[in-house]
Amino acid sequence: MMSNILSILIFFPLAAALFILIFFKGGKYSMWAAFVASVIEFFLTIPLMTNFDQSSSAMQFVERVNWIPALGIQYSVGVDGISVLMIFLTTLLSAIAILGSFTYIQKRQKEFYISMLILETGMVGVFLALDFFLFYILWEAMLIPMYLIIGVWGGKRRIYAAVKFFLYTFAGSVLMMLAIIALYFKHGALTGVYTFDILAITSQYASYSTAFQMIVFAAFFLGFAIKVPMFPLHTWLPDAHVEAPTAGSVILAGVLLKMGTYGMLRFCLPITPIASIKLMPFVAIMSVIAIIYGALVAMVQKDIKKLVAYSSVSHMGFVTLGIYALNQSGIEGGILQMFNHGIITGALFLLIGLVYERTHTREVADYGGIAKSVPVFATIFLIFTMGSIGLPSMGAFIGEFLVLVGAFQAFSDWAILAAIGVIFSAVYMLWVYQRVFYQGLNTKWENLKDMNLREVIYIFPLLIIVFWIGMYPETFTAYMHESVKNLVEHMQTVAVAMK
Amino acid sequence: MTPIAIMNLLSIYPEVIMIVFGLVLVVLDVMTSDEKKSMVGYFGIAFIIITVLIAWPPVGKKFLGFGNMVMWDSYSFVFFLIFGVAYTLTTLGGVSYLKDNGILKGEFYTVMFFSIVGMMFMVSAFDLTVFYAGMETMAISMYILAGFNKKSVRSSEAGVKYFIIGAFSSGLFLYGLTYVYGATGSMNYLEIAAALKGDAAGLTTFKLCLVMMLAGFAFKISAVPFHMWAPDVYQGAPTPAAGFMTVAPKAAAMGALIRFAWIALEPVSGMWALFFSILAVITMTYGNLVALAQNNVKRMLAYSAIAHAGFMLMGLVSMNPEGYQSVALYALIYAFMNIGAFTLIGIIKNKGMIEDERLESFAGLSKKSPMLAVGLMIFMFSLAGIPPLAGFIGKFQILMATMKAELYWLAIIGGLNSALACYYYMRVTIFMYFKEAEYEVEAVVTRSAFITSFISAIMILVIGFFPSFFVNLVKTLLV
């Protein structure tokens, strides 16, 4: 089984979705079936994690099958230290998001769970693809289920949000497709082998001229920056987050945003290293703007979900800042921060979702003093609030710390500004916590029901992981050391050659 | 028989078989009762399948007959295949529409059948006279199909409009053709090319003829600014006929244009390549922009058909084998998705005050008839070119050909256009999935419509997931 574990991971959710489509009628059965399928999918990643060779930076569990030989397209998948963590995050959050939707999704349940499973196939596939064509297909195909999830099960302005999300991402990725085709022909002209193989195209990086790299970098970067999203391309995110159902927000924040930064790590840096190094300050400035701007805008939000959405812009700024520091600690911090942000923001969205189910409002002003009636909820929310701020002993602290260490080495001025962003995040998170849970007792919520067992169950794993990373990050960073080291060495060779 | 006579016969035998079968269809039409006229169409399908099997060419073999006037080769065959697919899907899917509108007549099928003969001659022509004869056969059939619902004002208007503008463009084309003869002394593609290698290309008359002929072509493929007829005709024509008209004649004109431009006009490619690339840009952009503003799905698809024609022109100007392979593949995929979409649109009946094809009629369809909504969604996303559906494969191939030709600016505009187009296809899905029904809408998926859309949807998924077979098919056939 281990030899084709990756294909199983990709196609199992799809098979489950088809199974549900054909054999289940009611919402209740399909909901449990989808949950069971996603849990199985999660447990399938455990052997992947344990059998993963941490001392190698090479792609592992690689599978290659000819798909469209006429165009040099293969079905090829593989996993390395960067993607393995993303797979873990994806399958974990998918299972949790599905469990978290049991009561939230009231209409057309069967279709919802089918969409979620198809989405999972796309997400896992994007992180595993080793062929540009396969990558692009999955990258785009993912849009359809997400578009439906926002558009069908979303809030009041769901249509606007769904269309905006779709068009933004689609427009960005079209240019990416042209860049992929350009690389295909360039690689073919250089080696005589026309292939979409990512590794083969990457290996020729030294032959790509600076001008060519700049163009390809621009096309890729635009597509990824929209996905991350980086300022000023972030405007789709608040809309999509606010309107999406809880599960949609969790997946969006937890996994989809990570694809942008993953793409930068996988394509921008290795394939166009000269352009990356040259544009490093530019990306750093954009990241710092995102950190500060996201935090400032989050501060004034009246809607809790929107606040968390803007905080995502801010936190993802740390990720891009770390990646473009182009050193070991920066990139490792960036990846760890991707992981942390997925866990913490995912949890925050789940928590907001479950209280919204009870109160049907997300306005900060409508709440007040609910800590009294829902103590368990308040405690858990506080933990994740602290996690989001980056309190030591919790995951985000390690991530942000590593990013800042890396950033100080690369560009110290900007790192100082980024550090200020951390303070801002404490301001908006604590302030909103105070207003919702303590200040001004709103009698309306005296009889608010606290979290039930199901809700505690799906938050619990996230709680453990947050502390785990905070206490002993090595469990997770051990996976990426070699891959990141390889990447950094790759960048350094180019940087030396440039001088 | 002498070798020349055999060669002559081989060069036109598929067309001959088609004509004989067409005449048989006319006889069958007389023999069937009024309620069973669809049998004529089904026989037509059988005949086409038989002809396809007989005419399947040995790869790489070329039969050039009648003094280099007609060529039967795998290139002609691939386009014949596309016409056959279009005919089959239209026939299967249109039965209930024709029956409901009281126009289930045998002529519908025979006319469509004969139009294919015209299209085959267009694509296999190696001589402008043959090409012109084929084009007129096709065009006259199309005028009839457009105005087939003679009780409907819109359909009659479509027929008349198409006829007048079509006649005008044919006249323009014919006039240009005379200048070609004047400038090069021949109507034959090969001899024209030979003359153009000499000094004929510099003649003013030749430039004049080029403008007129290319304009005539542009009319046929509804390229902007020669597109004015297209939206009215596609909207007014009976829905199945519209599906056929957006696919087959366009593929035929494109196939013929590629052959003419690449063989006869090859020495002066610089003169027309830029002309067509600009035309491609204008056509795509205009078609998409106007389609954005449509509230009638049929009219929106009409404008989208214009945009798709512009996209296919990109394959023409790329001037490499990938270019025409991708155009052929694109036309085949387009046949499936567009006729599939037209079939499903044709069965929606609004009981309220608005037109059947208004976007509002599609509201809430996903609840009422989920299968129909899924089918239409597949067609819409495929038309938008979203992977993993077949439309993406076609788009991808054309963009690849354009990039290979190093026409980067054109590829970028094409890519951005496909992002633009995405929105109006999405609007249909928005209404189907995200909105509640406002009007009472009847959408009975008849057996024939189901079969057509099912085949189309399956083909779209199959080509999307396993394009290898089809990519190889056009690659080996169109070397």
Side-chain angles (χ1 to χ4, degrees), chain B residues 165-375:
Chain B
I165 297 180
F168 179 70
S169 73
S170 294
L172 197 65
F173 184 85
L174 202 56
Y175 195 49
L177 205 151
T178 58
Y179 277 99
V180 173
Y181 191 72
T184 64
S186 175
M187 300 288 237
N188 187 288
Y189 290 3
L190 298 171
E191 286 166 29
I192 292 173
L196 289 179
K197 282 205 183 88
D199 51 1
L203 295 174
T204 322
T205 47
F206 176 72
K207 285 174 188 157
L208 197 66
C209 94
L210 204 59
V211 169
M212 286 195 279
M213 286 188 58
L214 297 186
F217 269 115
F219 264 112
K220 292 293 171 211
I221 53 176
S222 68
V224 178
F226 310 103
H227 67 284
M228 295 80 78
W229 57 274
D232 290 337
V233 172
Y234 294 155
Q235 192 189 1
T239 308
F244 185 74
M245 283 158 60
T246 49
V247 173
K250 200 162 277 175
M254 204 58 90
L257 178 57
I258 288 176
R259 189 163 261 185
F260 175 66
W262 286 13
I263 293 173
L265 300 183
E266 200 269 325
V268 289
S269 57
M271 285 167 84
W272 56 265
L274 187 66
F275 174 81
F276 273 124
S277 18
I278 293 170
L279 211 61
V281 169
I282 303 174
T283 307
M284 284 188 284
T285 316
Y286 178 86
N288 283 329
L289 284 178
V290 181
L292 284 178
Q294 301 306 317
N295 285 319
N296 183 311
V297 178
K298 211 167 152 188
R299 199 168 174 85
M300 180 206 93
L301 282 181
Y303 280 105
S304 104
I306 294 174
H308 280 282
F311 214 83
M312 284 195 244
L313 277 177
M314 283 173 43
L316 168 75
V317 289
S318 61
M319 298 239 290
N320 45 31
E322 280 80 1
Y324 62 73
Q325 286 162 5
S326 61
V327 171
L329 188 65
Y330 198 94
L332 181 68
I333 293 168
Y334 188 62
F336 284 116
M337 56 195 186
N338 215 35
I339 296 180
F342 269 104
T343 307
L344 289 182
I345 290 166
I347 58 178
I348 288 166
K349 297 268 174 303
N350 195 318
K351 294 268 177 66
M353 298 299 286
I354 58 167
E355 288 166 327
D356 294 341
E357 299 99 1
R358 289 274 302 190
L359 266 173
E360 288 81 0
S361 305
F362 291 76
L365 263 186
S366 65
K367 269 188 201 143
K368 213 162 158 190
S369 33
M371 289 309 281
L372 189 150
V374 168

Side-chain angles (χ1 to χ4, degrees), chain A residues 228-231 234 237 257 286-298 307-321 337 341 388 400 418 420-422 424-425 428:
Chain A
V228 170
M230 290 183 81
F231 176 85
H234 66 281
L237 182 81
L257 305 192
M286 296 307 285
S287 309
V288 171
I289 293 176
I291 293 171
I292 307 271
Y293 171 86
L296 287 176
V297 178
L307 182 143
V308 179
Y310 276 108
S311 84
S312 288
V313 176
S314 179
H315 288 302
M316 290 308 283
F318 274 104
V319 179
T320 46
L321 184 70
Q337 188 62 4
H341 176 261
S388 177
E400 284 174 5
I420 293 173
V422 181
F424 282 140
S425 82
Y428 63 77

Side-chain angles (χ1 to χ4, degrees), chain A residues 284-356:
Chain A
I285 294 170
M286 296 307 285
S287 309
V288 171
I289 293 176
I291 293 171
I292 307 271
Y293 171 86
L296 287 176
V297 178
M299 229 179 266
V300 297
Q301 293 307 315
K302 297 192 179 83
D303 183 317
I304 313 177
K305 222 173 169 185
K306 213 165 192 170
L307 182 143
V308 179
Y310 276 108
S311 84
S312 288
V313 176
S314 179
H315 288 302
M316 290 308 283
F318 274 104
V319 179
T320 46
L321 184 70
I323 290 174
Y324 279 88
L326 302 181
N327 49 35
Q328 183 88 17
S329 60
I331 295 180
E332 281 193 10
I335 299 169
L336 195 62
Q337 188 62 4
M338 277 156 77
F339 195 80
N340 282 327
H341 176 261
I343 300 287
I344 292 171
T345 312
L348 286 174
F349 277 126
L350 283 165
L351 292 168
I352 294 169
L354 68 89
V355 75
Y356 177 77

Side-chain angles (χ1 to χ4, degrees), chain B residues 16 56 79 88 135 175 194 221 224 228 270-271 287 301 340 415 454 472:
Chain B
V16 172
W56 196 289
F79 279 90
T88 309
M135 190 170 81
Y175 195 49
I221 53 176
V224 178
M228 295 80 78
M271 285 167 84
L301 282 181
F454 187 74
N472 281 330

